[in-house]
């Protein structure tokens, strides 16, 4: 049973426009969510996170929104740049999990110049 | 900066061989993790360790074992490699929090 779902395997946007990556979860215990970015042949790098006590967190061009009632979160990148082209993974965890993360399958973002 | 290193970037092994993948972190992190990444399947947790000599199975532990004799080092062992273990293996570590720091990965091919 897939507890964290990224239903779009890929997304293509123009440079300068907004990229919106979506993630849904099914486990009501999850109370912390993270986004990771991964380039080919490299390990994932942490991008931004959000706790369930918030509904929005911003860091520069990256904003994560959390809708707990819908069990949905999204990552907005504004403006998108070609260097943002990568696979983005959504991950979720909860306090009693020994800090284990459950990852989605990832979305490949391509930003076209 | 946190540094997580993995012993090899690329590895080719034969079916039936015993394979050791080594991971070292330099930040005194309590928790260490082994994942595999396969196309269309995302990152799946194989094993993790929350202290020296402590380990816990992840979602796909079959065919793997781990060893953590020192805090900074976490080893993944494939007792008898099979072709379905061809994958990208990623090690990660974390302190007492959710954010995990990943190594560069080992691309293992079993022929």
């Amino acid at each position: 049973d897939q507890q964290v779902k990224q239903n779009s395997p890929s997304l293509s946007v123009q440079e300068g426009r907004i990229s919106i990556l979506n993630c849904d979860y099914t486990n009501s215990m999850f109370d912390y969510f993270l986004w990771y970015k991964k380039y080919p042949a490299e390990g994932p790098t942490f991008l931004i996170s959000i706790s369930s006590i918030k509904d929005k967190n911003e860091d520069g061009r990256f904003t994560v929104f959390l809708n707990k009632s819908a069990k949905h979160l999204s990552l907005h990148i504004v403006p998108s740049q070609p260097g943002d082209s990568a696979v983005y993974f959504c991950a979720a965890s909860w306090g009693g999990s020994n800090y284990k993360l459950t990852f989605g399958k990832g979305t490949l973002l391509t930003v076209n110049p | 900066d946190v540094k997580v290193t993995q012993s090899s970037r690329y590895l080719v092994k034969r079916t039936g061989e015993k394979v050791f993948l080594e991971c070292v972190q330099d930040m005194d992190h309590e928790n260490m993790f082994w994942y595999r990444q396969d196309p269309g399947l995302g990152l799946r947790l194989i094993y993790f360790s929350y202290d020296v000599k402590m380990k816990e199975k992840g979602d796909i532990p079959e065919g793997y074992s781990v060893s953590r004799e020192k805090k900074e080092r976490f080893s993944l062992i494939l007792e008898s490699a099979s072709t379905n273990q061809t994958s990208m293996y990623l090690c990660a570590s974390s302190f007492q929090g959710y954010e995990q720091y990943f190594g560069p990965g080992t691309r293992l091919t079993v022929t």
Side-chain angles (χ1 to χ4, degrees):
Chain A
D1 179 35
Q2 201 183 340
Q3 298 185 66
V4 177
K5 299 177 187 179
Q6 294 177 257
N7 292 319
S8 298
S10 62
L11 174 68
S12 183
V13 299
Q14 287 299 120
E15 181 177 4
R17 307 293 291 268
I18 184 171
S19 295
I20 300 176
L21 295 99
N22 294 304
C23 179
D24 297 296
Y25 62 96
T26 57
N27 189 340
S28 301
M29 302 287 286
F30 288 146
D31 59 9
Y32 200 83
F33 304 89
L34 307 89
W35 285 94
Y36 279 82
K37 173 170 142 178
K38 186 180 184 301
Y39 293 118
E42 293 184 15
T45 54
F46 170 74
L47 201 54
I48 192 168
S49 62
I50 188 166
S51 162
S52 61
I53 62 172
K54 292 184 166 185
D55 54 19
K56 177 182 172 181
N57 190 25
E58 233 174 314
D59 184 1
R61 295 186 297 113
F62 302 92
T63 303
V64 56
F65 295 91
L66 175 62
N67 182 335
K68 287 186 290 293
S69 60
K71 293 192 178 70
H72 177 83
L73 63 154
S74 60
L75 174 68
H76 293 211
I77 306 173
V78 185
S80 302
Q81 299 173 353
D84 296 329
S85 297
V87 177
Y88 288 79
F89 290 102
C90 170
S93 189
W94 61 285
S97 68
N98 274 332
Y99 302 113
K100 283 191 297 183
L101 299 180
T102 300
F103 284 86
K105 294 184 177 181
T107 296
L108 173 63
L109 172 66
T110 303
V111 180
N112 301 301
Chain B
D1 275 357
V2 177
K3 188 142 185 170
V4 180
T5 56
Q6 294 184 228
S7 50
S8 306
R9 293 300 301 271
Y10 300 94
L11 209 52
V12 180
K13 295 292 181 180
R14 293 190 183 273
T15 302
E17 277 193 80
K18 191 168 186 174
V19 182
F20 293 86
L21 302 182
E22 304 282 334
C23 175
V24 177
Q25 50 94 2
D26 66 356
M27 285 302 291
D28 203 35
H29 281 176
E30 307 291 332
N31 308 309
M32 295 188 76
F33 307 82
W34 275 107
Y35 296 88
R36 61 180 281 178
Q37 184 199 0
D38 300 289
L41 296 178
L43 274 71
R44 294 181 293 165
L45 182 64
I46 304 170
Y47 266 97
F48 75 103
S49 168
Y50 48 90
D51 202 349
V52 175
K53 297 191 188 292
M54 305 300 285
K55 60 187 179 186
E56 194 169 313
K57 291 179 181 178
D59 300 317
I60 51 164
E62 297 79 19
Y64 303 94
S65 62
V66 290
S67 171
R68 193 165 180 203
E69 297 295 320
K70 292 185 177 181
K71 193 173 186 180
E72 67 270 18
R73 188 179 297 267
F74 191 34
S75 302
L76 180 70
I77 303 154
L78 287 67
E79 296 290 343
S80 177
S82 64
T83 54
N84 63 12
Q85 292 179 309
T86 291
S87 186
M88 168 71 89
Y89 289 88
L90 293 158
C91 175
S93 72
S94 70
F95 190 46
Q96 293 169 5
Y98 296 104
E99 185 181 334
Q100 294 181 15
Y101 298 86
F102 283 82
T106 296
R107 170 72 65 186
L108 172 67
T109 302
V110 182
T111 60

